[in-house]
Amino acid sequence: MSVRVRFAPSPTGPLHIGGVRTALYNYLLAKKMGGTFILRIEDTDQTRYVQGAEDYIIESLNWCGLVPDEGPNKQGEYGPYRQSERKDLYHEYAQKLVNDGNAYYAFDTAEELEAIRNEEAENGNHNFKYDSFTRRKMKNSVSLTGDEVKMLLENGTPYTIRLKIPQDTVISFTDLIRGDVSFDSNELDDKVILKADGMPTYHLANIVDDHLMEISHVIRGEEWLSSTAHHVLMYEFFGWQRPEFAHLPLILKPSGQGKLSKRDGAKFGFPVFPLDWHPENDESFEGFREAGFLPEALLNFLAFLGWNPGDDREILSMDELIDAFSIDKIVKSGAKFDYDKAKWYNQQYLIAMSNDDLARLLNDENLNTSDVPFEKLSRIAGMMKERVYFYTDILRDGQYLYEKPASYDTETLAKKWNPINEPFLVQIIEMVNDDGNADELSHAVKNFIADKGLKMGEILPVLRITMTGTMKGPDLFETMTLLGKDECMARYNYLSTNLI
């Protein structure tokens, strides 16, 4: 059987970073096995549908490089790929379950259900569920006579269809990550599989779609593990071969306590979504892309949240991730979200980029580069990339490399400035050769300082503050050769005139 996997998000808001990891693991398995990666939009719950969320999901996957082989924007033989466009299909299969005695009509109204829950709570049962023990006292086709059911249907009485869970049955399956898993059917509720509006719930729709789309592996979050018993039962009721299941560990808060939520980003000061999300009249969230992350670095980081290749490697290209990936190396326990580690990954990928590629990226992102010649921008990228975590910080932190410093460390300057050294500073600046290199300038300046009996600690700090405004930054002599003699002298003149 060929490997066919699906990433099946609901368009109810921005795609959480945990969803990106789920998509990544599905993608890696598909590519490892020469299979197919499918995007399916599970939009059956129209009450929670959010305008723009589907486009956001597709853009996020494309930015990450997890491009589906089949999906809403790339039709294959198994479409449509939006569940809202498959509505009639689900009704047919729900009806089959009813006809076979594995599901039933439930005519209870929302008010009636709320009343029975309140009644049970008053009697001390705060965990009432619609199941094999309570269904006979509810209003459904199990408790009612055939004539009563027929009349209700003919009168157009609204109904849902519920799965009929058998009593005293052990439901077992093997999870590729968690091993053998078993559930007692007496602990399960009769889940609604078709709602009163005719739309299926997740439980029916994903079973039918996975079967019809010939999905071989269902790789999804741990939160769906408890529902898998219902899904296994439905496969048995339909007489279908079920796919392999693999339930991924949670991504945890940095503290390790609890699942990483969308609001943890604001709380801890880091993004938890791939792209910025700015809906109308709702909360806005920063994305990894806008924070300055490279998609390759983000995927490398996410891959290691619950998986590793089994050796000491940490930096793996997409091809290397595909080659090393296997489900049996995914761990059961949750993985803490370490933002500092994410930043480290991003820095490693920045360092590995060529200076020209990094300059092209800065240009593509329109980060105030229009007045900086490409050759100079490339040199700036090379000088700064080991000093920043994000490409968006290269021009911000290295602003003094292409325009006059915005501020000066006047405190250090006051301590180091000595009027006696002024002519020597001018002579040093005169040594800058626009066609020379940093090593030559460094050698010449240090020899000059030694020959004049000067102190490095008095000359070099003043030169650095003159050129950059700060004691931080890349190599002083590389900075001076980048700026050129005229700009170095102009900056010295500004400092000596305005700050001394």
Side-chain angles (χ1 to χ4, degrees):
M1 185 177 183
S2 62
V3 169
R4 289 177 57 83
V5 297
R6 72 345 184 241
F7 176 55
S10 297
T12 56
L15 178 63
H16 188 271
I17 206 67
V20 177
R21 186 193 63 171
T22 298
L24 171 62
Y25 286 172
N26 277 279
Y27 181 89
L28 292 176
L29 179 66
K31 300 309 171 186
K32 173 73 176 281
M33 305 304 294
T36 305
F37 173 60
I38 300 160
L39 172 63
R40 187 172 73 220
I41 301 297
E42 300 202 336
D43 57 349
T44 57
D45 190 348
Q46 291 293 299
T47 63
R48 298 180 62 220
Y49 178 84
V50 174
Q51 189 70 33
E54 180 182 324
D55 290 340
Y56 178 94
I57 290 167
I58 292 171
E59 184 182 355
S60 295
L61 293 179
N62 288 339
W63 176 70
C64 290
L66 305 177
V67 181
D69 301 305
E70 297 174 22
N73 291 351
K74 193 171 185 181
Q75 294 293 321
E77 299 177 7
Y78 299 85
Y81 295 92
R82 293 183 186 89
Q83 290 184 333
S84 59
E85 299 172 4
R86 303 166 66 89
K87 178 179 176 180
D88 295 341
L89 192 66
Y90 306 122
H91 196 279
E92 170 191 340
Y93 285 99
Q95 192 62 54
K96 176 174 172 53
L97 289 174
V98 172
N99 295 344
D100 292 345
N102 294 317
Y104 58 89
Y105 302 112
F107 301 96
D108 319 270
T109 65
E111 293 76 16
E112 289 168 338
L113 289 172
E114 183 65 22
I116 191 70
R117 290 191 188 96
N118 292 336
E119 180 183 332
E120 290 289 322
E122 290 174 2
N123 293 328
N125 177 18
H126 296 280
N127 297 307
F128 169 79
K129 62 180 182 288
Y130 208 127
D131 61 13
S132 59
F133 299 100
T134 62
R135 69 170 76 110
R136 290 200 172 275
K137 63 180 181 179
M138 308 300 288
K139 191 178 178 181
N140 55 59
S141 57
V142 175
S143 62
L144 301 173
T145 67
D147 288 341
E148 289 173 318
V149 172
K150 182 179 179 181
M151 182 181 68
L152 288 169
L153 292 175
E154 289 177 349
N155 290 340
T157 305
Y159 65 85
T160 62
I161 293 180
R162 288 182 177 269
L163 192 65
K164 190 177 181 181
I165 303 296
Q167 287 185 344
D168 305 322
T169 301
V170 176
I171 303 163
S172 301
F173 64 94
T174 299
D175 187 279
L176 296 178
I177 296 172
R178 298 163 195 283
D180 294 335
V181 181
S182 295
F183 291 91
D184 180 352
S185 67
N186 294 335
E187 299 296 322
L188 306 179
D189 63 331
D190 291 355
K191 289 196 179 297
V192 173
I193 58 172
L194 196 75
K195 295 178 286 188
D197 62 2
M199 291 295 282
T201 62
Y202 172 85
H203 306 291
L204 174 65
N206 94 89
I207 293 301
V208 171
D209 286 345
D210 285 348
H211 173 70
L212 296 180
M213 293 181 178
E214 299 184 9
I215 300 302
S216 63
H217 296 73
V218 172
I219 305 172
R220 59 189 178 189
E222 179 183 295
E223 62 269 23
W224 293 109
L225 181 62
S226 60
S227 298
T228 307
H230 294 85
H231 304 165
V232 168
L233 272 178
M234 278 192 274
Y235 277 107
E236 293 178 359
F237 291 159
F238 285 124
W240 296 339
Q241 179 180 344
R242 66 187 185 229
E244 300 279 4
F245 291 104
H247 288 88
L248 304 175
L250 295 175
I251 297 180
L252 304 175
K253 301 175 191 290
S255 64
Q257 303 298 314
K259 181 180 177 181
L260 184 73
S261 74
K262 67 179 185 179
R263 288 183 174 80
D264 285 331
K267 180 179 178 180
F268 294 107
F270 55 70
V272 293
F273 298 107
L275 316 178
D276 273 2
W277 174 253
H278 296 301
E280 292 185 11
N281 304 318
D282 200 357
E283 290 181 279
S284 296
F285 297 97
E286 182 188 28
F288 276 89
R289 181 179 67 183
E290 290 74 17
F293 275 85
L294 300 170
E296 302 87 351
L298 177 61
L299 292 183
N300 197 155
F301 166 66
L302 290 177
F304 278 72
L305 289 181
W307 172 91
N308 69 74
D311 52 41
D312 294 333
R313 291 179 295 167
E314 288 190 280
I315 306 296
L316 285 86
S317 68
M318 178 56 76
D319 287 342
E320 290 170 328
L321 285 172
I322 291 169
D323 182 65
F325 185 76
S326 65
I327 292 178
D328 60 9
K329 291 179 182 177
I330 298 175
V331 300
K332 299 177 187 178
S333 57
K336 287 195 296 185
F337 188 89
D338 183 349
Y339 188 59
D340 286 338
K341 189 69 173 181
K343 290 163 56 179
W344 177 84
Y345 268 107
N346 203 56
Q347 186 179 53
Q348 302 312 302
Y349 275 80
L350 284 179
I351 292 171
M353 285 183 74
S354 74
N355 296 343
D356 282 356
D357 283 346
L358 195 46
R360 278 188 281 271
L361 176 62
L362 294 173
N363 270 334
D364 290 343
E365 296 297 325
N366 296 315
L367 297 174
N368 300 318
T369 61
S370 57
D371 296 330
V372 185
F374 183 82
E375 182 182 353
K376 185 172 184 178
L377 186 61
S378 178
R379 289 180 65 184
I380 291 172
M383 293 167 66
M384 292 298 298
K385 64 183 182 180
E386 294 191 27
R387 312 186 68 83
V388 298
Y389 289 111
F390 310 112
Y391 67 83
T392 47
D393 290 342
I394 287 176
L395 294 182
R396 187 194 68 182
D397 292 359
Q399 167 266 338
Y400 46 77
L401 295 175
Y402 60 94
E403 60 185 22
K404 186 174 71 69
S407 61
Y408 289 85
D409 181 356
T410 54
E411 183 177 346
T412 302
L413 182 63
K415 293 178 181 178
K416 298 293 182 178
W417 178 260
N418 188 336
I420 296 176
N421 293 328
E422 279 197 80
F424 303 124
L425 292 170
V426 172
Q427 291 178 66
I428 289 174
I429 293 172
E430 290 288 349
M431 295 178 189
V432 176
N433 182 349
D434 291 352
D435 297 322
N437 61 56
D439 288 339
E440 291 173 351
L441 180 61
S442 173
H443 183 72
V445 170
K446 289 176 181 177
N447 283 342
F448 176 83
I449 291 174
D451 291 344
K452 297 297 183 181
L454 304 173
K455 295 180 180 179
M456 296 281 189
E458 291 183 353
I459 300 297
L460 298 186
V462 173
L463 276 175
R464 177 174 288 281
I465 294 173
T466 301
M467 303 305 157
T468 67
T470 175
M471 289 298 294
K472 300 176 182 178
D475 179 75
L476 170 62
F477 303 107
E478 191 171 2
T479 299
M480 293 176 72
T481 54
L482 172 75
L483 295 175
K485 181 186 296 184
D486 289 346
E487 178 64 18
C488 288
M489 190 61 73
R491 293 190 181 191
Y492 172 76
N493 290 333
Y494 174 85
L495 179 137
S496 62
T497 301
N498 295 281
L499 300 179
I500 303 302

